[in-house]
Amino acid sequence: MGFQTEFNSVCKFKSEQELYELLEYGRGKMVKSGFRVYPTGQKVIAYTPDNKAVAIVKILASIAEINFQGEEVTQVEMELVRKLTEQEAAVQTALAHEMFFGEPHK
């Protein structure tokens, strides 16, 4: 049992529905597998399931637990700060691909 830390201010959604709720209602949550530590109180960039930057969000809570199925999960609650402009999204997406989502480090 160990925690994985989400460094570099990345908040990647795996579920389109969770992302939609955040963008539509201004608040939302996502569930990630495994124990993870998110920077509660900080602003981070949110990414779509296909690795595109879409918004700045503020992490409100990060709760790591073992669910009823015995799986380690982390729930992250957040609020929308603002959507990114088209230009901001393009730059953040390109940088994130190089830094986080591209080829594994050697």
Side-chain angles (χ1 to χ4, degrees):
M1 174 170 60
F3 282 86
Q4 177 180 348
T5 304
E6 297 297 328
F7 288 111
N8 302 314
S9 301
V10 171
C11 187
K12 181 181 174 189
F13 283 83
K14 296 270 187 203
S15 163
E16 288 284 349
Q17 183 62 35
E18 290 172 342
L19 178 59
Y20 169 80
E21 289 173 8
L22 172 71
L23 297 176
E24 184 69 21
Y25 304 114
R27 290 179 76 95
K29 72 172 187 172
M30 69 176 175
V31 178
K32 303 289 268 186
S33 62
F35 288 150
R36 297 167 186 254
V37 177
Y38 281 82
T40 303
Q42 292 186 14
K43 294 176 186 173
V44 299
I45 302 295
Y47 291 85
T48 65
D50 60 345
N51 301 334
K52 299 211 182 332
V54 291
I56 299 172
V57 299
K58 183 175 182 181
I59 305 294
L60 301 176
S62 175
I63 304 151
E65 63 187 1
I66 296 175
N67 66 16
F68 291 115
Q69 291 78 33
E71 303 163 332
E72 296 174 351
V73 296
T74 301
Q75 293 185 48
V76 184
E77 296 179 14
M78 63 199 77
E79 69 182 358
L80 178 66
V81 174
R82 71 176 177 84
K83 293 180 182 177
L84 296 176
T85 66
E86 195 172 309
Q87 183 179 16
E88 290 169 334
V91 169
Q92 282 295 137
T93 298
L95 290 172
H97 180 74
E98 181 177 339
M99 295 173 66
F100 316 119
F101 305 131
E103 294 180 14
H105 298 288
K106 296 179 181 177

